[in-house]
């Protein structure tokens, strides 16, 4: 009986987590403004979002950089290095998001994302759905992560990678176009809402 109760509790927790993650995906993909980055190079936002059915994982430096960002000399060196993680993956490079979290929380998030492994997902909605390969896909398609939660479970982060398939100089291409890191906050009523979207165009 004890084992049965534990099993049922595991199923309930799993189903709740799955439902909550799906709610995040719904918020992301039903709001086309999240994908305005696609229009930068005269691209067109897809009518339907094709998503690869294996989740991606966060790069730990998205949340924590082991450098002194209060040192003006360090910041100047960073500004001169366009490939530095601060300039392309670090979510808290702007005060808008940086002021929400202290260093301990950033370190926690960096470690937490390393504990999340890629997994298979299945989504079948009218506007967004998963596929097990992109052989027949043309144009934009997407890769998504599972949510990473803060230690108090008040904030969550999901990464969306945008890829594009096409033809350049007669050769087929399949390249990264951009990266989105969507930030959510849970209200006092327990309902999650999107509060941010850190964008990076991959050139």
């Amino acid at each position: 009986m004890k084992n049965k109760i534990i099993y049922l509790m595991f199923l309930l927790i799993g189903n709740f987590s799955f439902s909550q993650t799906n709610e995040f995906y719904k918020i992301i993909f039903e709001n086309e403004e999240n994908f305005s980055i696609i229009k930068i190079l005269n691209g067109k936002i897809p009518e339907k979002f094709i998503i690869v059915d294996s989740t991606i994982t966060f790069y730990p430096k998205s949340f924590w950089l082991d450098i002194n960002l209060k040192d003006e000399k360090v910041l100047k060196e960073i500004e001169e290095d366009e490939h530095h993680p601060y300039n392309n993956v670090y979510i808290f490079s702007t005060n808008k998001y940086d002021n929400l979290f202290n260093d301990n929380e950033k370190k926690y998030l960096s470690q937490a994302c390393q504990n999340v492994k890629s997994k298979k997902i299945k989504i079948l909605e009218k506007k967004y759905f998963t596929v097990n390969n992109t052989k027949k896909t043309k144009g934009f398609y997407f890769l998504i992560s599972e949510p990473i939660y803060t230690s108090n479970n008040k904030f969550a982060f999901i990464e969306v990678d945008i890829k594009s398939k096409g033809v350049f100089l007669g050769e087929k291409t399949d390249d990264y176009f951009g990266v989105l890191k969507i930030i959510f906050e849970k209200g006092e009523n327990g309902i999650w809402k999107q509060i941010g979207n850190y964008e990076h165009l991959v050139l």
Side-chain angles (χ1 to χ4, degrees):
M1 175 64 73
K2 182 178 179 181
N3 289 339
K4 185 175 181 180
I5 292 174
I6 293 174
Y7 175 70
L8 289 173
M9 289 178 64
F10 176 80
L11 284 180
L12 286 172
I13 293 171
N15 287 337
F16 174 76
S17 176
F18 179 76
S19 175
Q20 185 167 270
T21 301
N22 277 353
E23 183 62 26
F24 289 141
Y25 294 159
K26 180 178 180 180
I27 293 172
I28 293 170
F29 288 101
E30 291 192 354
N31 181 5
E32 290 190 359
E33 290 184 8
N34 283 325
F35 302 91
S36 58
I37 190 174
I38 289 176
K39 297 180 179 179
I40 290 177
L41 299 179
N42 296 319
K44 184 178 179 182
I45 297 175
E47 293 182 3
K48 295 185 177 181
F49 295 89
I50 300 172
I51 305 166
V52 176
D53 69 350
S54 294
T55 59
I56 56 175
T57 56
F58 268 93
Y59 183 38
K61 290 186 177 181
S62 297
F63 299 106
W64 176 250
L65 300 176
D66 197 15
I67 55 177
N68 185 7
L69 293 173
K70 296 179 181 179
D71 187 324
E72 292 184 5
K73 182 179 178 181
V74 172
L75 287 175
K76 186 175 181 179
E77 291 175 353
I78 288 173
E79 290 174 357
E80 296 173 353
D81 182 3
E82 63 178 309
H83 300 295
H84 194 283
Y86 181 88
N87 295 317
N88 50 55
V89 301
Y90 185 59
I91 297 172
F92 309 124
S93 58
T94 63
N95 289 335
K96 180 179 180 181
Y97 306 133
D98 183 56
N99 293 335
L100 293 174
F101 309 95
N102 60 34
D103 285 353
N104 287 334
E105 194 63 50
K106 293 170 187 175
K107 291 177 184 178
Y108 173 87
L109 288 164
S110 181
Q111 183 58 51
C113 73
Q114 296 178 65
N115 298 328
V116 178
K117 307 300 180 183
S118 175
K119 63 181 286 187
K120 287 289 186 179
I121 55 174
K122 186 175 182 180
I123 302 171
L124 186 57
E125 299 291 341
K126 185 176 181 180
K127 193 173 180 63
Y128 56 101
F129 56 90
T130 51
V131 295
N132 58 18
N133 67 73
T134 59
K135 292 179 180 179
K136 297 181 180 180
T137 302
K138 296 180 181 179
F140 292 106
Y141 67 96
F142 304 83
L143 301 95
I144 54 177
S145 75
E146 290 192 85
I148 303 296
Y149 297 93
T150 53
S151 58
N152 61 5
N153 200 42
K154 184 179 179 181
F155 296 91
F157 301 79
I158 286 182
E159 179 171 323
V160 181
D161 290 359
I162 306 171
K163 296 195 73 175
S164 178
K165 296 181 75 172
V167 177
F168 181 72
L169 298 178
E171 296 289 333
K172 292 183 178 180
T173 60
D174 187 355
D175 300 317
Y176 278 91
F177 179 87
V179 177
L180 313 175
K181 293 183 174 74
I182 314 295
I183 307 171
F184 299 90
E185 181 179 12
K186 184 164 61 175
E188 294 182 359
N189 57 3
I191 296 177
W192 290 91
K193 64 177 182 178
Q194 180 180 331
I195 63 167
N197 180 359
Y198 174 90
E199 303 174 321
H200 173 63
L201 182 66
V202 179
L203 297 175

